[in-house]
Structures are given as structure tokens and as C-alpha cells.
């Protein structure tokens, strides 16, 4: 079942030809902006997709340096919306959209949701933040385009979320994976039985890195299917890549973006199947085309055919952002390695933070974990056993032995937006 069968099943060669045409159109539009007028001064068009690798990259820094209007490629009177990134890694960047861009994005979001099985008789509860953040409003438009009854609850207020779920029989939810786990605490406190009292069947989880183990945990807790949703505000927002019913990698919509994977150090383009930084070129944007935008997200392209029949290639689950890497006494560690170990141990709870500090000129990694009362017997001996098991399994996964500290459920800091897991306290001690 397809939202746009002709596009989703497009013959590979036709898809490549379309991409080439679109890139050349995007170059032409982009050159109306101050930034690309200079950057692409000696390029008018490319003659094959092989030439994409000769186009210059665009970075987050470029976007910041050209603030506010340096990337705008159309008259202001054609622009109807401004969005901004969450600013997770520094000053936010600004993105503009024409009415065509917004409509196109809504269609793409609808395609994603349909791909994962949502239909117009579903009740859609959107717990993502509305406003400058693209997570909420992006899928809101997509859900309405698909024809679902859309409940724009926004983030937080867990009791109200559950109240809506119960009263309106929400069947599809859009939620941050970290929030899905925290919300379950309220489900338990309210003695809600997910099978008896709720009607949930699908969750779209994304906007932040999460492991396969975390997805499984969410699926088990709520008795649903959870689909990985990838996007970034620079390329519109959610909807850029999405899992189909096969749940094995995210189809990156190749009529909308041209994906490449590069080695983040040498900047060479890597073949499909190799992990590196995802680089995206927009193919249909009017207000603000982006050429070879370096996402800083690490993944690989899966080019093997998908059982669903869609011809658009897939990307693997994002393992991390390049700037998420922690260096602990010279060892490189990504937070997701820690998460997947924690999530694979049922008693280990659902919420955690990672603290890094310095002691006697050595880095120390401390993991604070909320204990899951439901799954944990609670004797001191059990606690010690769990601590040892976590230390051992984490040492195996990351090569560093962390200090494990258990804390009460609900005591760790939370935010309405993306979870902040890593607290690097090293500079403060210097
Ligand atoms: P910010 O970069 O400030 O967080 P955005 O709100 O635009 O701003 O977030 C986009 C980023 O969120 C992506 O570049 C990626 O790092 C992360 N992200 C989005 N979806 C996913 C996902 N499904 N898995 C992992 N990371 C994701
Ligand atoms: Zn598929």
C-alpha cells in the first residue's frame, strides 16, 4: 500500500534522471542567494550524478555565518514560514519555506506515516513540540494531509496525554523516544492497562538518537509497533527518512533529497554500505535549496532492495552525531553504546544520564540510572548484582569501566524537548 505509488516504486534509472534534473534546478535557484552566488560562482550545472562530488559542501557553520538571510533564494514576499533548529549543538540555524515547500513537506510527512501503516481512520496524537522546532508542526500538517483526526497536544503534561489517549482512543502517536519511556511511568502511576484501556497501535519515534533496544522496549511497554523517523530542520524537518513496515532501515526519500555518505575526516564520498557522515542535497526546495549539506549524523546507505518494494534506498539507524563523541581517557565513546547496554537489561530502568568528570587528572564516567520498581526486586544484594552486571557489560561495549549510581525513579532532570543525557563536567573542575 503506497501513498504515491508512482514515486515510491519509481524505476531506479528514472529516479536517478529525476535527481540529476532536480539538482540542476536547485543549483539555479540556489544561486539567487547571497551565499551560493559566491560559492557556486563557477558552476551552472552538472552533467551526471558522478559530478555531485565536485560540488562544494555546505555546513552548519555556513548557515550560522550567513544569518539571517544569506541563504534565502527567493523574494521575501514568497516566503510564508521560518523555522529554526533546536540549537542542541550551538546557535540555532534558520530555514525559510515558500507555500510550495510547506505543501511538499506535508505530503512527504503523510507519505512517511502512510508507509508505516497510518490511515485516515486513525486518531493521531502529536506530543512533539510546536513552534520553531519542526517536530510538531511538520507532522501535524502531514497527519492532516493524510486525513487523520489530529490532536495537537504538544509536549509534557503526562496525565493529560494519557487522558486524551483514553478518551479519544488515540491509535497513532508521535513521540520522542526518551519521552515515551518517561510517559510510561505515568501510565503505571495511573494504573492504566495499555491493552485494556488504550487503543495505541503505532508510534513514530525520532528527533533524537536511540538504539534498537530502546525501540524494542517502547514496543513491549505499549504493545505497539514503533517506527524510526529521521529528519532535521535544515532539510525541512521530520519526513526526510522513515521506516516502512519492514522496520529494517529508513527509506530516504530520493525524490526529495540526494544522499551521500562521506568520510568525516577526508571528506571523500564512501560507497553504499560504509558508515560515515550523511550529506544531503535538497531536490525540490524553492525558498532555500541546500547543496551537499553536512548533517553531522553518522549512518550508512543500504542499497539492497527492501521487501516492501520501494526503490528509494535506506539509511541505517543514526548511530550518533559526529559531535556527540565523548573521549574518556583517550577512548572514543558514543552515548548510544551506553544506552543500548542499559536498555537490554530489563531491571536497569528507563531513564539515565551520563556524567563525565575529572579525578586525579583522569576522566571518570558516571552513569546515573533510575531504578525500575516494576521489574526490580529491590534487595541490596540484587542491587549489587545489577551494578556488577552493568559495569561488566558496559566495559565490554565501551572499553571503559563506568561508575554506576542508582537513583529514585523520577529524580533525574527531564526536559520537554530532546533528552539531554550527557553532562560533561570536566571543564568546570579545571
Ligand atoms: P538540532 O540539530 O539543534 O537538534 P533539529 O531539531 O533540526 O536540530 O534536529 C535534527 C537532528 O536530530 C538530526 O540532525 C539528528 O542528529 C537528530 N535526529 C533526528 N531524528 C533522528 C533519529 N530518528 N535518530 C537519531 N537522531 C535523530
Ligand atoms: Zn521498505
Amino acid at each position: 500500500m503506497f501513498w504515491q505509488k508512482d514515486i515510491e516504486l519509481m524505476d531506479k534509472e528514472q529516479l536517478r534522471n529525476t535527481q540529476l534534473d532536480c539538482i540542476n534546478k536547485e543549483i539555479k535557484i540556489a544561486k539567487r542567494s547571497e551565499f551560493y552566488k559566491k560559492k557556486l560562482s563557477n558552476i551552472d550545472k552538472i552533467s551526471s550524478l558522478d559530478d555531485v562530488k565536485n560540488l562544494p559542501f555546505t555546513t552548519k557553520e555556513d548557515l550560522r555565518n550567513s544569518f539571517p538571510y544569506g541563504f534565502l533564494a527567493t523574494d521575501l514576499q514568497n516566503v510564508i514560514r521560518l523555522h529554526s533548529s533546536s540549537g542542541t549543538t550551538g546557535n540555532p540555524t534558520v530555514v525559510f519555506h515558500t507555500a510550495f515547500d510547506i505543501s511538499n513537506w506535508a505530503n512527504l510527512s503523510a507519505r512517511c506515516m502512510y508507509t508505516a501503516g497510518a490511515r485516515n481512520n486513525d486518531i493521531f496524537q502529536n506530543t512533539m513540540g510546536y513552534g520553531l522546532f519542526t517536530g510538531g508542526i511538520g507532522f501535524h500538517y502531514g497527519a492532516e494531509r493524510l486525513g487523520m483526526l489530529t490532536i495537537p497536544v504538544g509536549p509534557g503534561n503526562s496525565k493529560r496525554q494519557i487522558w486524551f489517549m483514553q478518551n479519544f482512543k488515540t491509535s497513532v502517536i508521535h513521540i520522542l523516544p526518551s519521552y515515551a519511556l518517561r510517559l510510561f511511568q505515568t501510565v503505571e502511576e495511573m494504573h492504566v492497562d495499555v491493552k485494556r484501556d488504550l487503543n495505541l497501535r503505532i508510534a513514530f519515534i525520532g528527533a533524537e538518537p536511540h538504539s534498537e533496544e530502546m525501540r524494542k522496549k517502547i514496543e513491549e511497554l505499549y504493545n505497539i509497533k514503533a517506527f524510526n523517523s529521521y529528519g532535521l530542520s535544515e532539510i525541512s524537518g521530520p519526513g526526510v527518512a522513515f521506516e516502512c513496515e519492514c522496520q529494517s532501515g529508513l527509506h530516504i526519500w530520493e525524490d526529495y533529497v540526494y544522499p551521500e555518505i562521506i568520510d568525516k575526516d577526508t571528506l571523500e564520498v564512501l560507497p553504499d554500505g560504509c558508515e560515515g557522515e550523511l550529506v544531503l542535497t535538497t531536490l525540490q526546495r524553492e525558498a532555500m535549496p541546500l547543496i551537499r549539506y553536512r548533517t553531522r549524523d553518522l549512518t550508512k546507505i543500504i542499497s539492497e532492495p527492501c521487501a516492501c518494494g520501494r526503490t528509494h534506498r535506506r539509511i541505517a539507524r543514526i548511530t550518533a552525531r559526529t559531535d556527540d563523541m565523548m573521549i574518556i581517557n583517550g577512548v572514543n565513546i558514543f552515548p548510544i553504546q551506553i544506552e543500548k547496554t542499559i536498555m537490554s537489561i530489563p531491571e536497569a530502568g528507563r531513564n539515565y544520564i551520563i556524567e563525565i568528570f575529572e579525578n586525579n587528572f583522569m576522566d571518570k564516567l558516571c552513569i546515573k540510572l533510575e531504578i525500575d520498581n516494576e521489574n526490580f526486586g529491590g534487595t541490596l544484594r540484587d542491587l549489587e548484582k545489577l551494578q556488577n552486571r552493568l559495569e561488566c557489560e558496559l566495559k565490554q561495549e565501551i572499553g571503559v569501566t563506568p561508575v554506576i549510581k542508582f537513583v529514585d525513579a523520577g529524580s533525574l532532570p527531564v526536559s520537554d524537548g530532546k533528552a539531554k543525557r550527557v553532562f560533561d563536567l570536566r571543564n568546570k573542575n579545571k
Side-chain angles (χ1 to χ4, degrees):
M1 294 283 268
F2 304 96
W3 177 250
Q4 287 166 294
K5 197 169 175 192
D6 51 334
I7 294 179
E8 292 169 52
L9 299 183
M10 192 185 277
D11 166 76
K12 285 256 182 203
E13 199 185 320
Q14 199 188 344
L15 194 54
R16 299 289 163 254
N17 290 339
T18 311
Q19 287 180 317
L20 181 62
D21 283 350
C22 287
I23 291 177
N24 282 326
K25 272 188 208 139
E26 287 286 88
I27 291 177
K28 198 167 165 203
I29 301 173
K31 287 181 76 167
R32 295 180 197 143
S33 74
E34 228 174 87
F35 177 82
Y36 285 118
K37 201 188 298 167
K38 286 192 209 124
K39 195 88 173 173
L40 300 175
S41 58
N42 47 10
I43 301 163
D44 281 327
K45 63 186 293 207
I46 55 170
S47 47
S48 85
L49 288 178
D50 264 354
D51 293 341
V52 175
K53 63 175 182 298
N54 302 323
L55 296 172
F57 290 111
T58 306
T59 63
K60 211 171 180 108
E61 221 37 53
D62 291 331
L63 294 180
R64 285 186 183 134
N65 293 341
S66 301
F67 182 87
Y69 286 122
F71 274 82
L72 186 61
T74 186
D75 290 341
L76 258 191
Q77 68 196 32
N78 300 326
V79 180
I80 62 157
R81 176 94 65 80
L82 173 157
H83 271 293
S84 151
S85 74
S86 319
T88 311
T89 57
N91 286 334
T93 48
V94 181
V95 181
F96 304 99
H97 299 277
T98 63
F100 170 81
D101 294 333
I102 294 290
S103 170
N104 224 3
W105 177 21
N107 180 56
L108 196 75
S109 306
R111 189 198 291 173
C112 290
M113 298 191 218
Y114 198 90
T115 295
R119 295 293 180 266
N120 60 6
N121 54 0
D122 273 305
I123 312 290
F124 175 69
Q125 187 161 328
N126 196 359
T127 75
M128 289 285 189
Y130 280 71
L132 285 171
F133 174 55
T134 53
I137 212 164
F139 266 16
H140 180 101
Y141 273 52
E144 289 186 347
R145 179 72 63 94
L146 204 156
M148 291 193 277
L149 192 166
T150 302
I151 313 178
V153 189
N157 200 338
S158 298
K159 283 196 175 140
R160 190 176 56 175
Q161 300 284 2
I162 293 162
W163 185 88
F164 270 106
M165 283 189 210
Q166 284 184 293
N167 285 284
F168 292 93
K169 299 277 170 255
T170 302
S171 51
V172 178
I173 192 165
H174 183 205
I175 190 161
L176 285 166
S178 54
Y179 184 49
L181 293 189
R182 272 199 291 119
L183 180 65
F184 200 78
Q185 213 167 297
T186 312
V187 169
E188 286 173 330
E189 281 161 18
M190 291 171 72
H191 305 291
V192 169
D193 179 325
V194 291
K195 286 194 188 147
R196 187 195 58 210
D197 305 324
L198 303 183
N199 189 39
L200 268 187
R201 58 184 199 92
I202 292 177
F204 305 137
I205 53 173
E208 62 185 9
H210 57 284
S211 56
E212 182 59 34
E213 287 73 12
M214 185 143 173
R215 179 237 292 273
K216 287 205 183 101
K217 192 148 196 164
I218 293 169
E219 291 193 328
E220 275 163 27
L221 290 174
Y222 289 92
N223 189 37
I224 53 170
K225 284 257 171 234
F227 295 88
N228 193 350
S229 156
Y230 170 76
L232 60 165
S233 44
E234 293 84 343
I235 315 283
S236 67
V240 176
F242 212 83
E243 277 183 331
C244 65
E245 62 271 25
C246 305
Q247 288 186 310
S248 60
L250 301 85
H251 286 281
I252 184 140
W253 299 119
E254 294 198 73
D255 57 319
Y256 193 70
V257 286
Y258 179 78
E260 297 168 274
I261 298 288
I262 59 163
D263 179 310
K264 69 179 173 44
D265 301 316
T266 66
L267 308 186
E268 290 293 313
V269 177
L270 298 174
D272 288 357
C274 294
E275 189 174 274
E277 180 181 342
L278 179 66
V279 171
L280 296 171
T281 298
T282 59
L283 298 179
Q284 302 189 18
R285 268 234 299 237
E286 278 187 349
M288 193 173 148
L290 286 179
I291 309 291
R292 301 194 85 203
Y293 181 67
R294 291 187 58 183
T295 65
R296 307 200 281 189
D297 292 327
L298 297 175
T299 182
K300 62 181 176 189
I301 292 181
I302 305 169
S303 50
E304 288 77 26
C306 183
C308 74
R310 290 178 180 82
T311 48
H312 301 237
R313 287 174 293 174
R314 287 165 290 160
I315 54 169
R317 174 182 296 286
I318 305 286
T319 46
R321 295 179 184 226
T322 49
D323 32 30
D324 270 351
M325 193 172 76
M326 308 178 282
I327 305 180
I328 312 288
N329 298 323
V331 181
N332 298 345
I333 300 172
F334 284 107
I336 204 158
Q337 295 176 277
I338 296 178
E339 181 195 287
K340 85 181 198 198
T341 309
I342 295 174
M343 291 298 151
S344 65
I345 304 177
E347 307 87 312
R350 301 170 197 137
N351 200 13
Y352 67 94
I353 60 166
I354 302 166
E355 284 180 351
I356 311 165
F357 55 93
E358 234 176 60
N359 191 1
N360 276 337
F361 305 104
M362 292 290 283
D363 298 329
K364 288 271 174 215
L365 184 70
C366 172
I367 297 167
K368 289 187 176 163
L369 274 161
E370 287 183 1
I371 278 292
D372 187 341
N373 297 327
E374 187 81 340
N375 290 316
F376 185 68
T379 69
L380 216 54
R381 217 176 123 51
D382 291 339
L383 213 56
E384 252 170 44
K385 261 204 242 156
L386 180 58
Q387 190 165 13
N388 290 340
R389 181 170 167 203
L390 272 163
E391 278 174 7
C392 270
E393 292 195 15
L394 281 163
K395 167 87 204 289
Q396 258 178 7
E397 175 65 38
I398 59 179
V400 166
T401 308
V403 178
I404 305 288
K405 281 193 183 158
F406 296 116
V407 299
D408 289 337
S411 66
L412 290 177
V414 293
S415 81
D416 268 355
K418 304 184 186 207
K420 178 163 170 51
R421 302 272 192 210
V422 181
F423 296 83
D424 192 338
L425 310 170
R426 283 178 290 196
N427 289 335
K428 285 187 190 155
N429 295 344
K430 276 191 180 147

